[in-house]
């Protein structure tokens, strides 16, 4: 079954390339997430919002005989990219499911682990999903997410911009654009920041959290430039940034290369048990 996706970011090969770059950038927090989940070779793992398969591949490399990964995504295009990406590395252990992760289905059955990276912030009112999941999972199921916060680092940036670093306006405009875009789409640009509290409130056990902040180095700035290309038309449609402003912001960001400069976003890791 094909599921209509209104995922706000791109689903093209270029978007997959941006997510692949992001996978390298997220390598340390991702491996630490899988460590914190104590992934075992025989686990049945359900991955929410797998996209083009960066996290998928990391999970599969930890599974052995009898292990199984069910990777769910609402974008048929990105699932195709994931299948291609995984074809030479443990593809037999993965089943790809085209579904809306906010509506749990049979794909969730029997999970030992539920995991997602950068997916909850694309799900409106993700808190509802997390509460609902707790009731559907078996006691002892390990649950873990890595989710961004595009807001709190703005405070430091605002200070620096006003105190000797006017060129950081380019970082601030980018962060504001992504916050505005997500807010208009009723998705949270800071779901990571409240994730630990949300999981505790939902009744999950042994909740632990960690914060990873990314310096604005060349990899991050490159990713920001790709974002501007990917959603330029959408930013224009919503009146967030015109095409001319987009081009100017890309010029100003490029002038910050190679960095590093202070971070304007980071990820929260939250791990718990049902
Ligand atoms: C930022 S990408 C992250 C992809 C991947 N987890 C990674 O870390 O590379 C977000 C992914 O979530 C998927 N997604 C967004 N909303 C979804 C939903 N309601 N159900 C399933 N997948 C969803 C998108 O299609 C996209 O692949």
């Amino acid at each position: 079954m094909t599921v209509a996706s209104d995922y706000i970011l791109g689903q093209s090969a270029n978007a997959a390339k941006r997510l692949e770059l992001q996978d390298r950038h997220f390598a340390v927090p991702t491996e630490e997430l899988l460590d914190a989940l104590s992934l075992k070779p025989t686990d049945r793992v359900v991955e929410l919002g797998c996209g083009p398969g960066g996290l998928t591949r990391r999970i599969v490399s930890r599974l052995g005989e009898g292990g199984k990964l069910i990777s769910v995504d609402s974008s048929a295009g990105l699932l195709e990219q994931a299948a291609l990406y995984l074809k030479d590395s443990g593809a037999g252990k993965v089943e790809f499911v085209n579904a809306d992760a906010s509506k749990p289905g049979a794909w969730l059955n029997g999970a030992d682990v539920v995991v997602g990276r950068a997916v909850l912030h694309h799900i409106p009112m993700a808190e509802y999903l997390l509460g609902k999941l707790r009731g559907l999972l078996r006691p002892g199921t390990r649950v873990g997410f890595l989710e961004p916060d595009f807001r709190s680092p703005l405070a430091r940036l605002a200070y620096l911009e006003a105190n000797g670093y006017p060129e950081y306006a380019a970082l601030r405009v980018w962060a504001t654009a992504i916050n505005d875009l997500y807010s208009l789409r009723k998705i949270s640009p800071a779901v990571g920041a409240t994730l630990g509290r949300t999981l505790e409130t939902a009744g999950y056990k042994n909740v632990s959290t960690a914060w990873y902040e990314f310096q604005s180095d060349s990899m991050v700035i490159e990713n920001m430039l790709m974002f501007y290309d990917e959603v330029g038309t959408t930013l224009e449609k919503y009146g967030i940034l015109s095409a001319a402003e987009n081009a100017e912001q890309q010029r100003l960001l490029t002038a910050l290369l190679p960095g590093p400069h202070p971070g304007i976003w980071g990820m929260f890791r939250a791990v718990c048990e049902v």
Side-chain angles (χ1 to χ4, degrees):
M1 183 184 64
T2 300
V3 173
S5 166
D6 62 353
Y7 175 51
I8 187 67
L9 302 182
Q11 299 173 47
S12 61
N14 276 349
K17 197 169 150 236
R18 182 180 60 77
L19 290 169
E20 199 181 313
L21 180 79
Q22 207 159 274
D23 178 59
R24 272 186 276 143
H25 171 203
F26 293 162
V28 169
T30 303
E31 293 300 330
E32 288 183 5
L33 170 69
L34 300 181
D35 290 345
L37 282 166
S38 310
L39 221 66
K40 296 188 188 64
T42 53
D43 275 334
R44 183 177 180 88
V45 182
V46 173
E47 180 193 9
L48 308 182
C50 62
L55 171 61
T56 316
R57 188 140 96 170
R58 292 179 188 274
I59 298 169
V60 160
S61 73
R62 293 189 181 218
L63 295 180
E65 201 60 35
K68 184 86 193 167
L69 172 60
I70 316 294
S71 292
V72 180
D73 203 286
S74 53
S75 161
L78 288 175
L79 280 175
E80 268 172 37
Q81 315 253 5
L84 262 179
Y85 189 53
L86 266 289
K87 81 175 168 23
D88 298 323
S89 49
K93 295 193 194 104
V94 194
E95 185 186 320
F96 290 106
V97 179
N98 188 203
D100 179 351
S102 70
K103 301 187 175 88
W107 42 265
L108 190 65
N109 294 348
D112 298 303
V113 176
V114 175
V115 63
R117 183 178 73 181
V119 59
L120 294 177
H121 75 294
H122 286 291
I123 296 183
M125 303 304 290
E127 293 77 7
Y128 289 169
L129 170 61
L130 294 170
K132 206 159 53 176
L133 273 182
R134 183 188 161 216
L136 295 170
L137 298 171
R138 297 179 300 198
T141 307
R142 287 107 73 206
V143 175
F145 296 99
L146 265 182
E147 291 293 332
D149 176 3
F150 294 107
R151 291 195 64 137
S152 54
L154 264 168
R156 181 204 298 118
L157 207 67
Y159 173 82
L160 290 172
E161 188 186 336
N163 290 279
Y165 298 90
E167 67 274 27
Y168 288 169
L171 301 175
R172 189 234 323 140
V173 171
W174 182 89
T176 306
I178 196 163
N179 275 291
D180 287 352
L181 178 64
Y182 284 12
S183 300
L184 277 167
R185 294 291 299 241
K186 299 188 175 174
I187 54 178
S188 169
V191 74
T194 48
L195 201 49
R197 165 62 47 205
T198 299
L199 293 167
E200 273 171 6
T201 307
Y204 289 91
K205 293 188 284 193
N206 304 326
V207 178
S208 69
T209 60
W211 164 244
Y212 300 86
E213 191 169 308
F214 308 118
Q215 284 203 310
S216 301
D217 59 13
S218 52
M219 202 192 288
V220 167
I221 294 176
E222 170 122 350
N223 198 303
M224 292 159 81
L225 291 167
M226 288 166 100
F227 165 86
Y228 272 141
D229 279 339
E230 198 177 311
V231 295
T233 322
T234 312
L235 294 175
E236 193 163 26
K237 185 178 92 185
Y238 285 130
I240 296 172
L241 219 57
S242 69
E245 285 165 330
N246 187 317
E248 175 61 4
Q249 288 306 321
Q250 294 210 39
R251 191 186 67 76
L252 293 170
L253 267 184
T254 305
L256 291 178
L257 284 168
H261 304 285
I264 54 160
W265 69 292
M267 305 276 281
F268 278 93
R269 180 188 85 203
V271 171
C272 60
E273 245 176 63
V274 175

